[in-house]
Amino acid sequence: MTQLERVAEALERMGPRRVATPDFDAADCFVWNADELALDPVRKVSRVAIGLIKGVDRVRDILLENTQRFAVGHSANNVLLWGARGMGKSSLVKAAHAEAAASSPALKLIEIHREDIDTLPRLLGLVKDTPYRFILFCDDLSFDHDDTSYKSLKAALEGGVEGRPDNVVFYATSNRRHLLPRDMIDNERSTAINPSEAVEEKVSLSDRFGLWLGFHKCSQDDYLAMIDGYAAHFSLDVPREELHRDALEWATTRGARSGRVAWQFTQDLAGRLGRSL
């Protein structure tokens, strides 16, 4: 190898890595691999049918309508799904995508992990000039003390010069309405020269989401409706009175009623019946 060739090779290594163009026809869903700057196709997506998600009918309809509008090229909003844990926030995102993609196959779902948010601009550059439409999905999005990556997210969603690409929306789930710890916001208020401006800086991230969909703890009737829905869908033949009694006992031992608890009970019930789901 000549000296010139060695110099050229060294310069190529020092430059930014080339991002391979993904095969978006390989799958409906992908996971963003920030280390490799690549999209890994997901052959089998872990999700449930949208009809099995009970107790959140209003927010389900709003999210599905927003997703279907986006899938066909109409205007749609970024969505923040926040609230009680285990109530189907991430399940609803995946189910809404499946429902909309059934009639709009160009709609793709890309999951980006919270710790990779600072690479979001690279991901947007990869997908913006394609004939596909993308839901970028971040599950359990929140930010801790001294974490400044939320500023990258703010710019990518609405604040940058280019703005959000027309073929991209961002869906996120969180237990926090404002995505930042309350004590972090309080600290900013107490130490800043202008406290109101400091708080505005922190909570303005949530404002980038046009839709805020709240999820709250479910009632006993909603919980039992979830149980009945799963039992009917998977043909688990158990007398209704016995099913409800066991399901309530299961929820009592967990100290909560939620969609997640209902699903865990259903898995246990299927196992006891010698069934796989």
Side-chain angles (χ1 to χ4, degrees):
M1 180 182 295
T2 67
Q3 184 174 3
L4 183 59
E5 289 173 332
R6 287 197 297 271
V7 171
E9 185 178 291
L11 289 174
E12 185 173 346
R13 287 197 302 268
M14 292 171 60
R17 281 179 292 171
R18 295 178 180 176
V19 182
T21 302
D23 178 10
F24 289 117
D25 291 324
D28 291 330
C29 299
F30 299 82
V31 174
W32 173 237
N33 184 335
D35 292 333
E36 301 296 328
L37 297 179
L39 287 168
D40 297 332
V42 179
R43 308 297 180 184
K44 184 178 180 181
V45 181
S46 174
R47 59 185 167 200
V48 299
I50 198 167
L52 291 177
I53 301 176
K54 307 289 186 180
V56 290
D57 295 4
R58 178 59 179 158
V59 294
R60 177 199 63 203
D61 293 344
I62 294 173
L63 181 68
L64 182 56
E65 182 182 354
N66 190 74
T67 306
Q68 289 173 329
R69 287 203 310 263
F70 174 71
V72 298
H74 297 163
S75 295
N77 274 303
N78 300 315
V79 184
L80 174 62
L81 301 89
W82 67 276
R85 66 185 189 275
M87 282 305 297
K89 296 185 292 293
S90 59
S91 295
L92 186 56
V93 170
K94 292 180 285 186
H97 165 258
E99 189 77 6
S103 56
S104 302
L107 180 66
K108 306 296 180 180
L109 180 70
I110 299 176
E111 182 176 11
I112 178 171
H113 298 137
R114 196 219 66 79
E115 58 270 20
D116 298 327
I117 285 296
D118 57 350
T119 66
L120 183 57
R122 300 295 298 273
L123 175 55
L124 292 177
L126 190 63
V127 303
K128 65 179 180 179
D129 294 323
T130 70
Y132 301 91
R133 304 187 69 77
F134 300 94
I135 299 171
L136 305 189
F137 170 48
C138 186
D139 191 24
D140 197 21
L141 179 64
S142 61
F143 298 93
D144 298 321
H145 296 283
D146 302 322
D147 188 346
T148 59
S149 60
Y150 74 91
K151 295 183 179 180
S152 298
L153 178 57
K154 283 173 59 177
L157 290 180
E158 299 291 349
V161 174
E162 286 188 295
R164 174 169 52 89
D166 291 337
N167 65 334
V168 171
V169 290
F170 194 88
Y171 287 5
T173 68
S174 178
N175 294 331
R176 301 169 180 165
R177 185 175 184 178
H178 289 300
L179 303 177
L180 296 157
R182 173 54 57 185
D183 58 346
M184 182 178 178
I185 295 175
D186 290 340
N187 287 341
E188 291 288 342
R189 180 186 290 114
S190 63
T191 59
I193 295 175
N194 189 326
S196 63
E197 289 184 358
V199 174
E200 286 295 320
E201 167 71 10
K202 298 300 180 184
V203 303
S204 63
L205 173 58
S206 298
D207 291 341
R208 263 61 176 186
F209 295 88
L211 285 178
W212 290 6
L213 302 181
F215 289 70
H216 308 284
K217 294 180 180 180
C218 67
S219 65
Q220 178 171 300
D221 288 343
D222 287 335
Y223 171 71
L224 292 177
M226 297 172 191
I227 297 295
D228 290 338
Y230 283 134
H233 180 77
F234 294 109
S235 301
L236 302 178
D237 189 15
V238 178
R240 192 165 186 264
E241 183 177 343
E242 178 184 343
L243 177 68
H244 285 189
R245 184 189 67 237
D246 291 350
L248 291 174
E249 180 181 351
W250 181 275
T252 300
T253 63
R254 299 302 179 277
R257 294 187 298 262
S258 69
R260 181 178 295 132
V261 171
W263 174 245
Q264 291 168 343
F265 169 77
T266 303
Q267 289 181 303
D268 182 78
L269 176 61
R272 288 189 276 118
L273 294 175
R275 299 278 302 280
S276 59
L277 302 181

